[in-house]
């Protein structure tokens, strides 16, 4: 009524029996009230959609929802199963709301790689999907050319996200150092660089011969 100075506040909730935008309930419901009283109304948001259970299933769609999916590797959840969902199961949301699912790719599949660059490329590819793989390199003498990937761990197998792959990289062919002691002063060659540290007198080794190495 004019001059009654009534105030109205409202909240929204889902309703199966009341169309969207209409009042479901009000408090007080009817009758005379004192001036200045606040009327509390509950306004319908319509029926809404109850979010189903996606986690642990391979379901990636539901009527009344826009379902977005992304993928990530997982140590224990098989490939194709949902790891997580952005809205909990049983939650009522607006019809046509978006929900985000993360779908498992399972464990990380490791191939067999013949070069360090190929191994790094594979790592970058799987890490883009949450694999969190790292590579640790060690070097050793090998008949292969320096810098060649000799081998790596976990080839042709499945590993958990977060695994470290160890790569063995060649330092090049090894060289056997001859025994120069007592012989003539050698020259560099055959993969060996000769450096004369000093020239000393000796009572047992003839001049020009190697004393120590």
């Amino acid at each position: 009524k004019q001059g009654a100075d009534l105030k109205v506040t409202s909240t929204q909730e889902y309703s199966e029996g009341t169309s969207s935008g209409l009042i479901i309930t009000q408090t007080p419901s009817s009758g005379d009230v004192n001036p200045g009283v606040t009327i509390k109304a509950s306004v319908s948001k319509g029926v809404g959609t109850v979010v189903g259970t996606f986690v642990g299933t391979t379901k990636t769609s539901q009527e009344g929802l826009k379902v977005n999916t992304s993928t990530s590797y997982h140590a224990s959840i098989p490939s194709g199963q949902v790891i997580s969902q952005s809205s909990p199961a049983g939650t009522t949301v607006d019809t046509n709301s978006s929900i985000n699912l993360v779908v498992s790719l399972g464990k990380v599949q490791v191939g067999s790689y013949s070069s360090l660059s190929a191994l790094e490329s594979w790592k970058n590819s799987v890490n883009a999907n949450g694999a969190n793989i790292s590579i640790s390199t060690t070097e050793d003498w090998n008949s292969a050319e320096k810098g060649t990937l000799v081998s790596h761990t976990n080839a042709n197998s499945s590993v958990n996200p977060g695994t470290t792959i160890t790569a063995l990289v060649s330092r090049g062919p090894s060289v056997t150092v001859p025994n120069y002691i007592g012989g003539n002063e050698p020259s560099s060659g055959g993969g060996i660089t000769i450096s004369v540290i000093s020239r000393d007198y000796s009572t047992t080794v003839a001049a020009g011969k190697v004393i120590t190495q």
Side-chain angles (χ1 to χ4, degrees), residues 19-75:
S19 299
S20 177
L22 299 182
I23 295 175
I24 304 169
T25 60
Q26 67 178 63
T27 304
S29 58
S30 63
D32 294 331
V33 295
N34 294 326
V37 167
T38 297
I39 307 297
K40 298 179 180 178
S42 174
V43 181
S44 174
K45 295 174 69 175
V47 176
T49 298
V50 179
V51 178
T53 299
F54 292 92
V55 173
T57 74
T58 57
K59 183 173 70 172
T60 56
S61 64
Q62 180 181 334
E63 185 177 356
L65 294 177
K66 296 178 181 178
V67 181
N68 305 310
T69 61
S70 61
T71 55
S72 181
Y73 291 98
H74 200 280

Side-chain angles (χ1 to χ4, degrees), residues 140-200:
D140 199 1
W141 301 108
N142 189 274
S143 59
E145 183 180 351
K146 182 178 180 180
T148 299
L149 177 63
V150 178
S151 64
H152 62 84
T153 56
N154 305 105
N156 299 317
S157 66
S158 301
V159 298
N160 292 334
T163 296
T164 296
I165 305 296
T166 300
L168 176 61
V169 178
S170 175
R171 297 179 67 182
S174 61
V175 177
T176 301
V177 179
N179 181 12
Y180 295 110
I181 295 176
N184 294 326
E185 180 178 327
S187 57
S188 299
I192 299 175
T193 300
I194 303 297
S195 177
V196 177
I197 299 174
S198 64
R199 297 181 186 277
D200 298 324

